Amino acid sequence: MAFNDLLLQLGGVGRFQKIQITLVILPVILLASHNTLQNFTAAIPTHHCRPPANTNLSEDGDAEAWLPRDGQGRPESCLLFTSPQRGPPFPNGTGATEPCPHGWIYDNSTFPSTIVTEWDLVCSHRALRQLAQSLYMLGVLLGAMVFGCLADRLGRRKVLIFNYLQTAVSGTCAAFAPNFPVYCAFRLLSGMSIAGVVLNCMTLNVEWMPIHTRACVGTLTGYVYSLGQFLLAGVAYAVPHWRYLQLLVSVPFYAFFIYSWFFIESARWHASSGRLDLTLRNLKRVAWINGKREEGANLSMEALQASLQKELTTGKSQASALELLRCPALRRLFLCLSMLWFATSFAYYGLVMDLQGFGVSIYLIQVIFGAVDLPAKLVSFLVINNVGRRPAQMASLLLAGICILINGVIPQDKSIVRTSLAVLGKGCLASSFNCVFLYTGEVYPTMIRTAVALLPETLGQPLPDTVQDLENRRRGNTRKQQEELQKQMVPLQASAPAKN
């Protein structure tokens, strides 16, 4: 509780916290744009095979003679007759066909330009479209591991500054990519940097806030992300060309990179690293910004050594990611949180990355998916703040799983029912994300905080600064359970009949 007392003494949620948290959260509004950007930049418009070059495309009869029809009378997307077929009103489909040898013709009325139309990622090359998004998500995984470890070693601020620059540069380069492999490479780099932004944004904010405000900060971050989903729908509708859209959501990160140099590094991280001089300097700066100059002036090295004796004692031995497997308490947390992250992410992106599959306007469904987050995250916040993190996490995942399982047995032609269940499931998964982000920041010690019905409750609990803190908390819970069990056994023993 020592560090939390210091924060309260220096203003609690003062001017510094309000300014820095606002500036740190602001880039989150564009994270949704990068995570689900391919719904629009890789949208698949209606298409069919291009007839041979000598075909008069201005004459409908000549062009239609080459196009086989599906069961609903529409041109086949991936087949072309080897020779023109004549027969009213369309070719009768009895001729030999072949995969499109001359390319494709796309309907550009809704999507004038996407990576699909530019590099013909359809038919036999359709899997390449999914490859681009898979590589982006691979980048997210790599970024979480690489930048998470770097943030624990070098500090949150330095890594966050670099992540902003990497996002800006890689996103800009992706917009000017000359070919598909280069585009995929820069999307992978974007995924890495986005993961670093997400982790260090939440960690830096949580470590500068008093205990009673952490749920508010987590929910505010979630709402800013939801606002970004509305923004993406509007921007994608106004800028349908994929290169311009990619550039538009990347350029603002240059501004984020510039002003992030003014962030103040986490004093809690400095203390856990054994740098008491930097801890004192940052706390004095915060006190000055918050208008608590007298309290800041009273801070001294001796006072900090007395208040933060635990951090100084254990901070000199740097913890590593190996502690996740070496320490029993951390090992259990790591396994549980890994399953939570996998279940939430797998289901969430499975829903939000296939907007065209719902059979309605992707711009409309993007807005609906953003709108459902508003009540879902409000309910999540109320449960988190009043009941606890664990019930909120369990309920959100359980409801999401029920919605997805029911959706799997609904017939494809029931589009309204399927879309409604998907929207409800997406809202529950958004609540789960809200909770797991907060959980991850609260249960891990400071030195490994950015590593990734058994998790402990953290409502009202101080942030653990060391691995030993976590072990002590686990032993305290075990001792408490044993004491409660003994209290329950006393009446039973008293009421038991005496033996002769």
Side-chain angles (χ1 to χ4, degrees), residues 325-363:
L325 302 177
R326 190 180 298 133
C327 169
L330 274 177
R331 184 165 60 243
R332 188 182 69 164
L333 287 176
F334 173 69
L335 293 176
C336 290
L337 282 172
S338 295
M339 288 188 287
L340 281 180
W341 277 107
F342 175 80
T344 304
S345 302
F346 187 80
Y348 182 90
Y349 287 106
L351 284 176
V352 302
M353 289 309 302
D354 189 28
L355 298 189
Q356 283 189 289
F358 291 103
V360 297
S361 168
I362 65 171
Y363 303 106

Side-chain angles (χ1 to χ4, degrees), residues 202 218-223 225-227 229 340-341 343-345 347-349 351-352 368-381 384 392-393 395-397 399-401 404 422-438:
M202 180 61 77
T219 302
L220 176 62
T221 305
Y223 270 118
Y225 185 90
S226 299
L227 181 61
Q229 298 182 63
L340 281 180
W341 277 107
T344 304
S345 302
Y348 182 90
Y349 287 106
L351 284 176
V352 302
I368 294 175
F369 270 10
V372 74
D373 282 9
L374 305 182
K377 289 179 178 177
L378 176 61
V379 173
S380 174
F381 168 74
I384 285 173
Q393 187 73 74
S396 57
L397 279 178
L399 290 175
I404 293 173
V423 169
L424 181 59
K426 194 266 183 184
C428 295
L429 290 169
S431 299
S432 179
F433 259 131
N434 217 38
C435 193
V436 74
F437 266 116
L438 186 61

Side-chain angles (χ1 to χ4, degrees), residues 35-366:
N35 286 339
T36 59
L37 187 64
Q38 256 195 228
N39 277 325
F40 303 95
T41 60
I44 306 176
T46 304
H47 56 279
H48 59 76
C49 294
R50 182 183 297 276
N54 58 358
T55 303
N56 187 357
L57 296 180
S58 61
E59 295 291 337
D60 289 342
D62 287 351
E64 297 289 352
W66 291 91
L67 303 177
R69 298 276 166 167
D70 60 18
Q72 299 179 352
R74 297 172 301 190
E76 288 280 359
S77 301
C78 302
L79 293 175
L80 189 72
F81 284 127
T82 55
S83 60
Q85 306 292 306
R86 304 294 178 181
F90 298 113
N92 56 21
T94 58
T97 60
E98 61 180 341
C100 308
H102 312 293
W104 290 263
I105 294 178
Y106 299 94
D107 179 7
N108 295 327
S109 59
T110 303
F111 306 105
S113 175
T114 69
I115 65 170
V116 172
T117 61
E118 182 159 338
W119 292 311
D120 288 333
L121 306 182
V122 292
C123 299
S124 61
H125 298 145
R126 190 185 181 102
L128 294 177
R129 172 181 178 269
Q130 304 301 330
L131 175 64
Q133 183 64 23
S134 297
L135 288 174
Y136 175 83
M137 299 309 295
L138 175 62
V140 172
L141 174 63
L142 295 176
M145 294 188 294
V146 173
F147 293 123
C149 292
L150 287 178
D152 290 329
R153 295 290 180 178
L154 305 178
R156 288 72 163 109
R157 174 180 171 272
K158 291 178 182 178
V159 175
L160 194 55
I161 291 172
F162 178 77
N163 289 150
Y164 288 149
L165 180 61
Q166 182 176 333
T167 302
V169 173
S170 59
T172 302
C173 292
F176 292 99
N179 52 55
F180 183 67
V182 173
Y183 169 81
C184 288
F186 284 115
R187 283 290 285 168
L188 184 144
L189 292 175
S190 293
M192 291 184 65
S193 57
I194 289 294
V197 170
V198 172
L199 287 174
N200 290 291
C201 160
M202 180 61 77
T203 305
L204 188 60
N205 281 344
V206 165
E207 290 180 348
W208 271 119
M209 295 299 291
I211 290 176
H212 67 280
T213 63
R214 295 194 307 245
C216 297
V217 173
T219 302
L220 176 62
T221 305
Y223 270 118
V224 173
Y225 185 90
S226 299
L227 181 61
Q229 298 182 63
F230 289 105
L231 179 66
L232 175 60
V235 171
Y237 184 81
V239 185
H241 194 292
W242 81 266
R243 290 187 183 271
Y244 299 148
L245 180 58
Q246 175 74 52
L247 189 63
L248 194 60
V249 300
S250 302
V251 166
F253 281 89
Y254 289 107
F256 304 149
F257 165 72
I258 293 172
Y259 76 59
S260 63
W261 287 89
F262 297 98
F263 290 166
I264 297 180
E265 180 59 273
S266 167
R268 185 187 292 272
W269 177 81
H270 277 315
S272 296
S273 302
R275 296 299 306 273
L276 195 60
D277 55 334
L278 297 179
T279 304
L280 181 61
R281 187 184 70 178
N282 285 357
L283 288 174
K284 284 181 174 290
R285 288 180 64 189
V286 170
W288 185 84
I289 296 172
N290 284 346
K292 299 287 185 178
R293 300 187 181 185
E294 182 178 350
E295 289 81 354
N298 292 334
L299 277 178
S300 64
M301 195 70 73
E302 292 76 15
L304 278 185
Q305 287 175 340
S307 299
L308 306 178
Q309 184 177 4
K310 175 188 59 179
E311 287 87 345
L312 294 173
T313 303
T314 58
K316 295 179 181 178
S317 59
Q318 291 278 341
S320 69
L322 291 177
E323 294 291 343
L324 292 174
L325 302 177
R326 190 180 298 133
C327 169
L330 274 177
R331 184 165 60 243
R332 188 182 69 164
L333 287 176
F334 173 69
L335 293 176
C336 290
L337 282 172
S338 295
M339 288 188 287
L340 281 180
W341 277 107
F342 175 80
T344 304
S345 302
F346 187 80
Y348 182 90
Y349 287 106
L351 284 176
V352 302
M353 289 309 302
D354 189 28
L355 298 189
Q356 283 189 289
F358 291 103
V360 297
S361 168
I362 65 171
Y363 303 106
L364 176 62
I365 197 67
Q366 178 71 32

